[in-house]
Amino acid sequence: MKLKPLLASLALAGASLASQATTYSLGVLPIAPAKPAIAGAVVSPGSFSDWWSFSLPTSASFASFATTSITLGGTLFDIAGLSLGVYTAIGSGYVTGGSTHLSNVGLTAGQNYYLNVTGTATGLFGGSYALIAAAAPVPEPTPLVLLGLGLAVLGWAGRRKSEAATGEAQDLPSGGMTADLAMA
């Protein structure tokens, strides 16, 4: 009689353990074309949510991520519904996500971020996945280039105007306007 509540409790405890989040660290992501950070995990059967902490080096502002299920032995290890999400804190501060590949995600250098890998391990012994992450260098800021070109054009136009004004003053006849008025 007391066996049913005990089995129900064990089943609930097992289900909650299978869906527990695990936190790992990727450290500071390497800047491409250097070798990317490669990691992976083996998860128990059922749904899972793994968190990977990482940061960007000061010379990077973009990151790219990819993950894939590693199927071993046919149905022994497999994952369904694998997806990624980038957050500023565990469980909050959603930046972007949704697929197994995220490219050129704009992030702030030096700040800590979290990559959330979720899915459902459907294999007999659970599932396993591989994760690849790399940072991209800070691109040349286009607004500064446009500002520099705009200042150069303004400088050229100002110089041309001052040269034109100097040339007009030299073209006036001696006596200028006063000589013309005196003749009238």
Side-chain angles (χ1 to χ4, degrees):
M1 311 304 166
K2 299 214 178 215
L3 188 59
K4 283 185 181 181
L6 180 62
L7 288 176
S9 298
L10 287 175
L12 285 173
S16 68
L17 286 176
S19 64
Q20 287 293 326
T22 305
T23 304
Y24 305 99
S25 176
L26 289 171
V28 178
L29 296 185
I31 297 177
K35 182 180 174 184
I38 300 173
V42 176
V43 294
S44 300
S47 63
F48 68 93
S49 178
D50 289 346
W51 292 89
W52 295 82
S53 65
F54 69 93
S55 62
L56 295 180
T58 56
S59 57
S61 64
F62 294 96
S64 295
F65 309 95
T67 188
T68 185
S69 174
I70 301 173
T71 304
L72 301 174
T75 59
L76 296 179
F77 288 91
D78 198 14
I79 296 176
L82 192 63
S83 67
L84 297 171
V86 178
Y87 296 80
T88 56
I90 292 179
S92 65
Y94 178 77
V95 177
T96 189
S99 71
T100 58
H101 296 78
L102 301 175
S103 298
N104 298 321
V105 178
L107 302 172
T108 304
Q111 185 175 339
N112 292 327
Y113 290 96
Y114 297 88
L115 183 65
N116 185 224
V117 180
T118 60
T120 303
T122 59
L124 184 61
F125 297 113
S128 60
Y129 65 89
L131 175 66
I132 300 171
V138 175
E140 183 178 324
T142 305
L144 291 179
V145 172
L146 292 175
L147 176 65
L149 287 173
L151 290 175
V153 168
L154 287 174
W156 173 76
R159 183 174 177 168
R160 186 171 175 215
K161 185 177 180 180
S162 70
E163 286 176 357
T166 306
E168 288 175 5
Q170 291 173 353
D171 291 338
L172 288 175
S174 60
M177 296 261 300
T178 55
D180 291 335
L181 290 174
M183 288 192 208

